[in-house]
Structures are given as C-alpha cells and as structure tokens.
Amino acid sequence: MKNKYIFYSRIISQKPDTAHEIHDVLCANGAANLGYSSVLVYPEPSRGSGNTLDLLNPFQPKQPDQSFVDFYDVQDKLKVASLPMPWPIDCVGGKFTASSTVVTRYYLPFHLLKYTKIVHTRDWNFVQAAIKNRIPTIYERHYFQKEKVPKAIAESPFLQVAVTQSEIIRQSLIEQGFPPEKVVWVHNGFDQSFLLRQSEQATAWRKELLKDEHQSLVVYSGALYPFKGIDVLIDAAKELPQVQFAITGGKTEQVTAYQQLAQDKQVENVKFLGWILPRQRLVSLFQAADILVHPHCSGKSANFTNPVKFFQYMASGTPIVITEIPPLMLFKDMPLAAVWCEPDNPYQLAKALKQALEIYPRKIEGYTNNIALAKPFSWENRAEKILSYVDESLRPPLIA
C-alpha cells in the first residue's frame, strides 16, 4: 500500500556537527508526530554486506535504536529504514558502484516505489529519480542554486514544491529554472521536548556549572565555526568575568581549538561542554541558563541562515541576547524577553548580556511570552505548512 511519507537523507550518522542530518531527522520526526507513516530512509555502508536477504528485502522500517534516539531526541512514532551498501559500493571508483546510483536505480524503483506516497529530500539525484518514477516529491534546498534545472524536472507535476529557508535562496532557485509558484520558503523548527519544564535537571546543571564567584549562567548551543560568533563570544566573556559562560556543540578538534584560544586570551569563565548526550539534556541546560546567547556574525552566511537554535531558545522560555542578522529581524518586533545587539562587536555583545541579566531575572517557569511565541515554529507546524503546498490528492494519509 502506497501510504509511506519517505524522507530520504544521503547521510545519517551519529557524529557531532551534523546540522543537515539533524534537520532531516527532525523533519521526518515532525511528520511522524502528526500521524503520518513517516520513514527516514538512508544508505548504511556498514549494513548487510554478507546478508543476501537484506539485499533482496532491504526496506524494513523499524523503531530507531536507543543510541539514535539519544543522539537526535526523536519520539516513538518515527520509523527508520537503512539501505545496505555492501562492498564495493563507494569503496571503488565508478558510477555504478556509487551509493547514489544503487539507491536511485535499484532500491527506489524496485523496493521503495510500491510503498511510497510522497518523498521529501534534499538529495537532488533522489529528486530526479523519484520524479522519473512518478512519485510526488518535495525538494528542500538550503544553499544557492548555481546550475540550471532541467525543465522536465522543474515543471513536472510530480515536483510538487521546492522548499528553502530564506527569500534569497528562493530567488536563486527561481533564477535557475524553478517555477515561482513552486518555490516557497519556511522557517526551520524546534522539537516539542523543549516545551517540557525540567526544573530539577536545570537546578542540577546550575550546581555543576556555577562555581566560585559566578552567579549567572550564559549558554550558547550550536556549531563552533567563526561565522557563528564564537570568537566574539569569548571576547565578550572576558568583559564579564563575574558571569559563567557554557558553550555546547562542535567537533572534538573545534572544542580543543577554542579551549586553547580562551586560554591564550586568559578568559577563564568559559566552559566548553562539547556535544551533549543524550540530546534531551539540552532542554534542561537551556532552562538552567539565565541568558541564552545567539552571537552570529554578519556576512554572506548570515543572510540566509535559519538557525534551529533560535526557535529552541524561544521554546525554552529563557531570555535571549540576539544578534541583528537579516533572517532574525522578522522577530525583532515580537514581545520577546530578549535584547538585540549589533553583530561582530564583543563589547556591544557584553553590554547586551549585562542589560539582559539586569532586566530579565531568571524564572524557573520561564518567560511565557517566549514560549507562546515559539509554538507556531515547531517541526510539526512546519510539516503541516509544507504539505499545504502539495495537491490534496497527493498528500500521504494520516494513520493515527
């Protein structure tokens, strides 16, 4: 029966710094939470090299294992289906031994097609193959479209919608051949777990992180790249020695490099926590903070970023210090418990943090305005909005 809502991701791992993979997983998880038969499908090189049955019957949706749940913080309705990629796939050169070829020419037409009602993916090869197999398709793209799109694909009735996360990316897709009426941009989302109050766990975080003379806790969560404003945040921390800063996320080598940078600059009030597992612990860490900080730098990357953490921050109910970058200016007029500041300036960031600490005392129950204003930006609401652009007859059926 063709009732599956297939989310295809080219790579699913459990390694730090996997923003695109997290996006794919939480998109599928949001649709599953709405009651669709949502299955996250992905190639898995480590599976099935010696198991013939796996190759003959590869599509086996199942509950994700506990390590997957801990890493991505998904709920129990999502199913996953890894596709075995035995040797020599992706081990030797050649088009016919590439995992993309195996997925699109073997697994999709012979094993996925008979179950699939609609596809949602960021993988362009999978988009083209799905359309050629007459499967309704949602294409998602987060970066500028640099090449012309084949007219037969762009104008196919099976390409239902192309989804981006900013107007500037939307325009690049239109310029390269997508019909304007098929291209929309929608914000990313937050997971529902961020709405759950975890006061005991938050208290435990504060006992762990607040030592010596530090009474206030400022938390940053996200990737550890310079354009994310980590250098600026370290410099701002130096201006506020009485405040404890905690930074989560990043690869091991990035954490080590920034620890060394903080040491070189004699900034002693910054702790790097690395990748928090299980991810559910981020919820209580956000609620433990006095302030959550969003220090993104200006520049090209700031023009089209649509950070998941901004909505997570809102949903936590904790006051936010927000850098004024284009994608976030839409929210400046909202009555948030927040202080805004210019990008790239550690002294202005420190000033904004000090101001936020003064005017927004920590509330165990969180600031209700932030929580209420976040609710329209859940992954579930995002999934509903995207499906509203799909012809009603082509939408997957609700099963629960």
Side-chain angles (χ1 to χ4, degrees):
M1 180 180 178
K2 289 194 172 189
N3 66 347
K4 303 299 183 188
Y5 192 169
I6 298 295
F7 289 79
Y8 177 75
S9 184
R10 186 168 48 193
I11 301 173
I12 293 292
S13 68
Q14 293 174 35
K15 298 178 181 178
D17 194 33
T18 52
H20 291 308
E21 296 167 44
I22 291 172
H23 175 278
D24 292 351
V25 173
L26 295 182
C27 275
N29 186 62
N33 287 342
L34 289 173
Y36 295 104
S37 185
S38 174
V39 184
L40 178 72
V41 177
Y42 56 95
E44 186 176 13
S46 62
R47 178 187 162 211
S49 59
N51 191 333
T52 305
L53 290 178
D54 269 356
L55 296 175
L56 296 177
N57 185 27
F59 185 62
Q60 302 172 30
K62 62 182 181 179
Q63 297 287 136
D65 61 29
Q66 192 59 48
S67 65
F68 186 102
V69 172
D70 288 345
F71 190 90
Y72 289 106
D73 191 21
V74 297
Q75 287 72 59
D76 57 5
K77 291 185 177 181
L78 176 67
K79 298 293 192 299
V80 299
S82 64
L83 303 176
M85 294 289 149
W87 189 91
I89 299 169
D90 284 342
C91 297
V92 298
K95 178 179 179 180
F96 294 102
T97 54
S99 58
S100 178
T101 301
V102 175
V103 169
T104 57
R105 296 194 181 185
Y106 173 63
Y107 288 131
L108 177 60
F110 295 108
H111 297 283
L112 300 180
L113 179 61
K114 57 186 173 183
Y115 301 108
T116 303
K117 180 67 174 180
I118 194 167
V119 159
H120 184 144
T121 185
R122 291 187 297 110
D123 186 284
W124 182 242
N125 288 337
F126 200 86
V127 167
Q128 295 182 93
I131 289 171
K132 289 176 182 177
N133 281 279
R134 303 173 67 83
I135 302 172
T137 301
I138 298 166
Y139 174 47
E140 183 144 359
R141 184 170 181 92
H142 295 177
Y143 294 110
F144 291 102
Q145 181 74 27
K146 297 179 179 179
E147 299 177 351
K148 285 291 183 181
V149 179
K151 188 174 181 179
I153 298 295
E155 297 184 359
S156 168
F158 294 100
L159 178 66
Q160 283 289 290
V161 62
V163 180
T164 76
Q165 46 187 14
S166 69
E167 179 60 26
I168 192 169
I169 302 298
R170 177 178 179 272
Q171 289 301 323
S172 79
L173 266 67
I174 293 170
E175 289 168 5
Q176 297 298 344
F178 284 94
E181 66 275 11
K182 285 191 176 185
V183 189
V184 301
W185 75 269
V186 295
H187 291 291
N188 281 323
F190 72 90
D191 190 74
Q192 294 284 353
S193 62
F194 283 90
L195 296 173
L196 303 176
R197 304 310 298 174
Q198 299 186 16
S199 56
E200 290 185 10
Q201 296 93 326
T203 298
W205 273 116
R206 290 181 70 84
K207 287 181 179 178
E208 177 183 339
L209 296 173
L210 289 176
K211 307 290 185 182
D212 305 324
E213 74 281 7
H214 300 128
Q215 298 299 316
S216 301
L217 176 63
V218 172
V219 170
Y220 166 85
S221 177
L224 300 189
Y225 293 103
F227 70 85
K228 294 289 187 179
I230 310 304
D231 301 71
V232 176
L233 184 57
I234 290 171
D235 290 340
K238 191 170 186 177
E239 300 298 310
L240 299 169
Q242 75 283 9
V243 176
Q244 179 65 57
F245 288 74
I247 296 176
T248 81
K251 304 174 184 177
T252 301
E253 58 269 26
Q254 292 172 321
V255 171
T256 301
Y258 273 116
Q259 284 175 327
Q260 186 62 53
L261 178 64
Q263 184 178 331
D264 293 344
K265 292 188 173 186
Q266 298 182 320
V267 182
E268 300 178 355
N269 58 327
V270 178
K271 292 182 179 179
F272 291 86
L273 305 180
W275 196 264
I276 302 292
L277 286 175
R279 294 295 282 170
Q280 175 63 224
R281 296 183 67 217
L282 272 183
V283 177
S284 55
L285 177 60
F286 285 9
Q287 293 174 18
D290 293 88
I291 302 294
L292 297 170
V293 62
H294 191 294
H296 204 291
C297 293
S298 60
K300 184 178 179 181
S301 64
N303 292 331
F304 61 86
T305 186
N306 197 321
V308 170
K309 66 173 169 283
F310 178 70
F311 301 114
Q312 293 175 341
Y313 282 7
M314 287 173 62
S316 75
T318 301
I320 314 169
V321 167
I322 312 167
T323 301
E324 294 172 330
I325 57 174
L328 300 184
M329 296 306 289
L330 296 169
F331 304 96
K332 192 170 183 180
D333 292 334
M334 282 186 171
L336 291 167
V339 173
W340 295 75
C341 70
E342 66 181 68
D344 311 316
N345 190 326
Y347 305 104
Q348 289 299 318
L349 180 58
K351 181 180 177 181
L353 287 166
K354 184 178 180 181
Q355 181 184 355
L357 287 167
E358 291 172 352
I359 63 177
Y360 296 117
R362 182 171 177 267
K363 294 182 178 181
I364 293 176
E365 70 277 14
Y367 280 77
T368 55
N369 264 15
N370 287 27
I371 296 169
L373 291 167
K375 287 182 178 178
F377 300 101
S378 68
W379 287 109
E380 289 77 12
N381 285 342
R382 185 181 194 268
E384 284 189 315
K385 186 171 184 179
I386 291 172
L387 282 173
S388 73
Y389 295 102
V390 174
D391 186 280
E392 190 170 356
S393 66
L394 302 178
R395 296 173 196 170
L398 287 166
I399 60 170

